[in-house]
């Protein structure tokens, strides 16, 4: 997901994308640390609203890729210089 980077737009795009993701599917996005923080704020809102649908174990299995830097919140992980984020819908 490469969003519009405007507050509210990011959340809308995440909601629309999430509806199309099959169970077990992954959403990747970028610009976690860039701009005025709109991406980060809307992403955290989204994750809070969908916490019960996120696979919190996925980040641990993804560590084998060598790019997982950390877990931000339940089900939300950062990778590659903290710019990209990813989350997986529970299977």
């Amino acid at each position: 997901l490469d969003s519009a980077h405007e507050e509210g737009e990011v959340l809308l795009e995440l909601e629309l994308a999430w509806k199309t993701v099959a169970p077990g599917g992954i959403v990747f996005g970028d610009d976690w640390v860039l701009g005025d923080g709109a991406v980060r704020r809307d992403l955290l809102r989204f994750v809070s609203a969908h916490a019960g649908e996120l696979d919190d174990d996925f980040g641990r299995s993804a560590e084998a890729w060598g790019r997982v830097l950390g877990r931000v919140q339940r089900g939300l992980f950062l990778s590659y210089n903290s710019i990209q984020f990813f989350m997986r819908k529970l299977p």
Side-chain angles (χ1 to χ4, degrees):
L1 181 70
D2 191 8
S3 182
H5 304 100
E6 295 179 25
E7 200 146 353
E9 286 292 318
V10 176
L11 184 58
L12 174 63
E13 291 173 13
L14 283 165
E15 292 288 356
L16 293 172
W18 197 246
K19 288 179 183 180
T20 67
V21 173
I26 302 167
V27 170
F28 286 90
D30 65 357
D31 299 339
W32 168 260
V33 296
L34 300 179
D36 67 357
V39 172
R40 186 170 46 252
R41 287 188 300 274
D42 274 1
L43 182 56
L44 291 173
R45 286 182 191 111
F46 175 85
V47 169
S48 292
H50 293 273
E53 302 170 55
L54 299 172
D55 184 353
D56 198 43
D57 293 326
F58 179 61
R60 286 188 275 282
S61 63
E63 286 176 346
W65 304 341
R67 295 192 176 254
V68 178
L69 297 179
R71 177 181 178 263
V72 177
Q73 194 169 312
R74 185 188 191 293
L76 176 62
F77 302 91
L78 294 182
S79 67
Y80 196 60
N81 296 325
S82 297
I83 294 174
Q84 286 88 24
F85 63 85
F86 62 97
M87 55 192 153
R88 180 177 181 214
K89 189 181 270 190
L90 281 170

